[in-house]
């Protein structure tokens, strides 16, 4: 039996490798994590290690977390500053269809050297992005199976479309830094590529992510230090919040000074209050 692989591009069949058999490509069978690097060190390294280890366990993948982290640390020292992205999927299986027998991982790592933190202020180990504006996306997130709650899945088609919607909105308003995203139950869950936090009655909250969204590295840190609590975030809260920010494991903290409820209605927010949540 002879097997060949092709890419159809511009009406031409172009021979290619066996990418179609890769389970990350074919089924989204895996997860990823993106890590910021500053001064040759991974930001929030312990939290990244714990998340990678937990995610592998949920996918029934047998990884040596010590070897994984040592490899990431080596690359971090090499690039000095920038980002690392790791995708962990399952090795190809000698079967047809979705199922699997073995739990051997296939690990991809990309390193990007860049001066992403050169002009940013830090509060502790939190990079602080410049103040920006936010809007609300129409694209919603579905409800996940409990096994995959909070994990950064590589099968992220919902986030792909939410981010696409945000980028279109950003073209008409370049001051937009992020957008709120809801789940199918109409609860506000996250940003398009971040976690979200809101101040209500002088207290800071972040939405639950057990059914939708990602349990981000910064989110874990803020919950652990006790300055943020988990609470459902709904449309009814929007007119009462006094401050808002987003977080991302690479970008850090993104303060929001103006939230557009719709195209004609915006509320102004206190960005100075964000520092008290860190």
């Amino acid at each position: 039996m002879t097997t060949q692989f092709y890419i159809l591009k511009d009406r031409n069949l172009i021979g290619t490798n066996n990418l179609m058999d890769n389970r990350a490509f074919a089924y989204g069978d895996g997860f990823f994590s993106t890590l910021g690097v500053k001064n040759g060190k991974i930001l929030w390294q312990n939290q990244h290690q714990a998340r990678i280890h937990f995610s592998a366990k949920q996918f029934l993948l047998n990884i040596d977390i010590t070897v994984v982290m040592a490899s990431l640390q080596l690359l971090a020292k090499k690039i000095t500053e920038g980002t690392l992205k790791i995708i962990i999927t399952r090795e190809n299986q000698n079967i047809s269809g979705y199922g699997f027998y073995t739990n051997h991982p296939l690990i991809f790592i990309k390193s990007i050297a860049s001066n992403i933190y050169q002009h940013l202020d830090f509060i502790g180990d939190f990079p602080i992005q410049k103040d920006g504006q936010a809007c609300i996306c129409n694209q919603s997130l579905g409800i996940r199976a409990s096994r995959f709650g909070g994990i950064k899945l590589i099968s992220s088609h919902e986030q792909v479309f939410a981010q696409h919607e945000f980028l279109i909105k950003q073209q008409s308003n370049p001051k937009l830094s992020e957008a709120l995203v809801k789940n199918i139950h109409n609860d506000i869950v996250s940003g398009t590529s971040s976690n979200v936090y809101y101040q209500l009655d002088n207290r800071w909250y972040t939405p639950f992510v057990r059914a939708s969204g990602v349990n981000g590295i910064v989110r874990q840190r803020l919950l652990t230090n006790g300055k943020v609590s988990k609470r459902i975030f709904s449309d009814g809260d929007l007119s009462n919040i006094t401050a808002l920010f987003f977080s991302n494991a690479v970008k850090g903290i993104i303060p929001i000074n103006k939230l557009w409820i719709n195209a004609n209605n915006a509320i102004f927010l206190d960005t100075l209050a964000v520092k008290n949540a860190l």
Side-chain angles (χ1 to χ4, degrees):
M1 182 174 66
T2 301
T3 303
Q4 293 180 300
F5 298 88
Y6 300 92
I7 294 174
L8 178 59
K9 183 177 181 181
D10 298 329
R11 300 186 180 183
N12 295 312
L13 285 171
I14 303 170
T16 186
N17 57 24
N18 63 342
L19 179 64
M20 287 180 67
D21 282 344
N22 183 286
R23 293 182 64 89
F25 181 85
Y27 307 125
D29 183 18
F31 63 95
F32 76 99
S33 194
T34 309
L35 306 80
V37 175
K38 186 176 187 294
N39 296 328
K41 296 182 179 180
I42 297 169
L43 297 180
W44 310 302
Q45 178 177 302
N46 292 339
Q47 285 80 8
H48 278 290
Q49 177 172 328
R51 181 165 73 173
I52 292 170
H53 180 72
F54 172 79
S55 299
K57 182 179 179 181
Q58 296 305 102
F59 271 89
L60 304 180
L61 289 168
N62 297 326
I63 68 168
D64 188 329
I65 191 63
T66 302
V67 171
V68 169
M69 295 310 299
S71 300
L72 291 170
Q73 290 166 6
L74 181 65
L75 290 172
K77 290 179 181 178
K78 185 176 181 179
I79 66 173
T80 305
E81 184 172 341
T83 58
L84 302 174
K85 181 173 182 178
I86 181 169
I87 293 176
I88 302 182
T89 183
R90 201 178 314 276
E91 282 190 339
N92 295 349
Q93 308 286 303
N94 190 24
I95 58 175
S96 176
Y98 296 97
F100 64 92
Y101 290 122
T102 63
N103 300 324
H104 301 305
L106 185 61
I107 302 175
F108 301 89
I109 302 175
K110 177 172 70 173
S111 68
I112 305 173
S114 60
N115 297 325
I116 58 174
Y117 299 120
Q118 289 297 302
H119 303 292
L120 295 182
D121 293 327
F122 275 70
I123 297 179
D125 54 1
F126 296 101
I128 310 297
Q129 300 289 331
K130 68 178 183 179
D131 299 352
Q133 300 181 13
C135 59
I136 301 174
C137 275
N138 294 317
Q139 175 70 36
S140 60
L141 304 181
I143 303 302
R144 292 183 178 181
S146 58
R147 173 182 288 275
F148 305 114
I151 295 176
K152 288 181 71 69
L153 302 176
I154 55 178
S155 52
S156 304
H157 51 282
E158 295 166 329
Q159 283 85 356
V160 167
F161 280 89
Q163 182 89 55
H164 167 70
E165 180 184 343
F166 166 70
L167 291 174
I168 296 301
K169 292 177 183 291
Q170 194 180 47
Q171 287 181 335
S172 59
N173 181 3
K175 293 182 179 180
L176 288 175
S177 297
E178 247 294 12
L180 293 173
V181 181
K182 301 177 183 179
N183 62 21
I184 59 174
H185 294 317
N186 211 39
D187 295 325
I188 299 168
V189 176
S190 66
T192 63
S193 59
S194 62
N195 289 115
V196 65
Y197 313 83
Y198 60 102
Q199 188 184 55
L200 188 66
D201 297 327
N202 292 318
R203 295 189 62 184
W204 281 99
Y205 300 98
T206 189
F208 292 95
V209 295
R210 56 176 177 251
S212 304
V214 171
N215 185 18
I217 296 298
V218 179
R219 179 180 186 271
Q220 294 176 39
R221 282 287 302 273
L222 293 174
L223 286 168
T224 299
N225 70 21
K227 293 189 176 181
V228 173
S229 302
K230 289 180 280 189
R231 180 183 179 276
I232 293 174
F233 192 11
S234 63
D235 283 341
D237 295 318
L238 293 177
S239 60
N240 297 315
I241 65 173
T242 49
L244 182 78
F245 70 94
F246 296 89
S247 74
N248 176 289
V250 172
K251 293 181 179 178
I253 304 299
I254 309 167
I256 299 300
N257 56 32
K258 190 175 185 179
L259 172 64
W260 290 92
I261 307 299
N262 53 51
N264 301 310
N265 183 22
I267 57 175
F268 292 90
L269 299 164
D270 179 13
T271 57
L272 293 178
V274 173
K275 295 179 179 180
N276 296 326
L278 304 179

